[in-house]
Amino acid sequence: TFQRQLQQSDCQNALMKKVFDTHMLFLQINQSAVALKHVFAALRLFVGKFPSAFFQGQADLCGSLCYEILKCCNHRSRSTQTEASALLYFFMRKNFEFNKQKSIVRSHLQLIKAVSQLIADAGIGGSRFQHSLAIINNFANGDKQMKNVNFPAEVKDLTKRIRTVLMATAQMKEHEKDPEMLVDLQYSLANSYASTPELRRTWLESMAKIHARNGDLSEAAMCYIHIAALIAEYLKRKGKINVFKTNYVSLNII
């Protein structure tokens, strides 16, 4: 009935936000496994009908959905884990198709950010969550329609990076009283996102805060210089600035 209104401004409108928030309420309030099965089916239909709402314009809806689905991937019910994993795989596949089979950059970025947030909020990372990641990989490996494109490889890379974040976070917690080891782990994680500037910037900022808290101001400054170089490079590629020259070899973050 309201499809035309929902599609206004490439699905970036107030009505779309209200409909989306209503869907999210079903995941935010405790439901039975049977009810959740129908919620996941409704969300598959919703994403399939309005992909622009998630993969174009602002990333708010994409990030919120990724957060709630990942939370369900850690659910105590195996059937809910499977349904949530299937929805997440469907979501990534839609992202790939929306980008004309080039990448899943948006869902990749938002999922990693959601994982980082959930580690603090819900303590994910146990066997239940690892089981869901395995289900997603199995979907990718068994999807015959995606066999001749790079989508399965992108899914595998994403799940690998999620595991890397989980492992690094666990190690950071073990060494939270050892500032040098903590920063070294942060640096390794930042380097693993060399191809994703926004996430790399997030970890570099975290490193800078640790250095500043320990009184290592020159090291903190080097982190911010590296962040500035990342931003400048991005602006140059976007054509926002004309002159840009830097040597990353000189940006040795201690």
Side-chain angles (χ1 to χ4, degrees):
T1 302
F2 297 98
Q3 185 168 342
R4 184 176 57 82
Q5 292 94 319
L6 287 168
Q7 289 177 330
Q8 286 180 352
S9 304
D10 291 324
C11 297
Q12 309 294 313
N13 57 72
L15 181 60
M16 173 59 75
K17 182 69 166 59
K18 289 180 180 179
V19 174
F20 174 78
D21 287 344
T22 303
H23 279 83
M24 289 300 94
L25 276 174
F26 286 103
L27 294 179
Q28 293 162 354
I29 300 172
N30 288 333
Q31 309 286 347
S32 68
V34 175
L36 281 173
K37 185 175 181 179
H38 294 289
V39 173
F40 291 135
L43 282 168
R44 282 195 296 273
L45 182 63
F46 187 65
V47 172
K49 206 171 188 66
F50 304 105
S52 296
F54 303 96
F55 308 127
Q56 191 167 299
Q58 295 294 319
D60 297 350
L61 302 191
C62 181
S64 297
L65 182 58
C66 287
Y67 180 89
E68 295 300 337
I69 298 175
L70 282 174
K71 195 163 64 173
C72 290
C73 286
N74 202 47
H75 200 276
R76 61 182 178 275
S77 166
R78 276 297 173 97
S79 63
T80 298
Q81 287 177 39
T82 302
E83 289 284 345
S85 301
L87 175 58
L88 191 55
Y89 178 76
F90 174 82
F91 186 72
M92 290 188 289
R93 192 169 187 249
K94 279 294 175 185
N95 189 184
F96 188 72
E97 292 170 351
F98 187 82
N99 287 343
K100 299 178 180 178
Q101 298 193 339
K102 292 180 180 178
S103 70
I104 55 169
V105 172
R106 171 162 290 193
S107 54
H108 182 128
L109 177 61
Q110 295 304 319
L111 283 166
I112 294 295
K113 290 177 73 174
V115 166
S116 302
Q117 187 179 352
L118 277 166
I119 287 170
D121 295 348
I124 64 169
S127 58
R128 290 186 296 199
F129 192 74
Q130 295 291 346
H131 176 71
S132 294
L133 292 179
I135 291 173
I136 293 169
N137 272 327
N138 288 338
F139 279 133
N141 293 331
D143 193 338
K144 294 180 180 179
Q145 292 181 339
M146 293 288 164
K147 190 174 182 180
N148 297 320
V149 294
N150 66 336
F151 178 66
E154 292 216 20
V155 172
K156 185 177 181 180
D157 177 63
L158 173 57
T159 54
K160 182 180 178 181
R161 286 179 181 273
I162 289 175
R163 289 191 175 99
T164 299
V165 172
L166 293 172
M167 189 181 303
T169 305
Q171 290 176 328
M172 287 176 200
K173 193 170 183 180
E174 290 178 12
H175 298 284
E176 58 187 355
K177 295 183 180 179
D178 184 347
E180 292 184 359
M181 179 61 77
L182 183 58
V183 168
D184 192 49
L185 290 168
Q186 292 265 20
Y187 181 53
S188 297
L189 194 56
N191 277 348
S192 72
Y193 280 96
S195 61
T196 314
E198 186 174 344
L199 287 173
R200 195 176 191 190
R201 174 187 171 183
T202 299
W203 291 109
L204 286 169
E205 286 177 338
S206 182
M207 285 174 61
K209 289 176 183 177
I210 294 171
H211 280 311
R213 190 167 61 241
N214 295 329
D216 300 324
L217 300 184
S218 60
E219 287 84 350
M222 289 300 292
C223 291
Y224 286 121
I225 290 170
H226 204 137
I227 291 169
L230 288 172
I231 294 171
E233 186 175 45
Y234 174 80
L235 291 173
K236 178 178 180 292
R237 290 177 179 176
K238 287 288 186 179
K240 302 294 184 181
I241 56 177
N242 296 322
V243 181
F244 173 64
K245 185 178 180 181
T246 188
N247 181 5
Y248 277 106
V249 176
S250 68
L251 298 177
N252 295 314
I253 299 178
I254 302 173

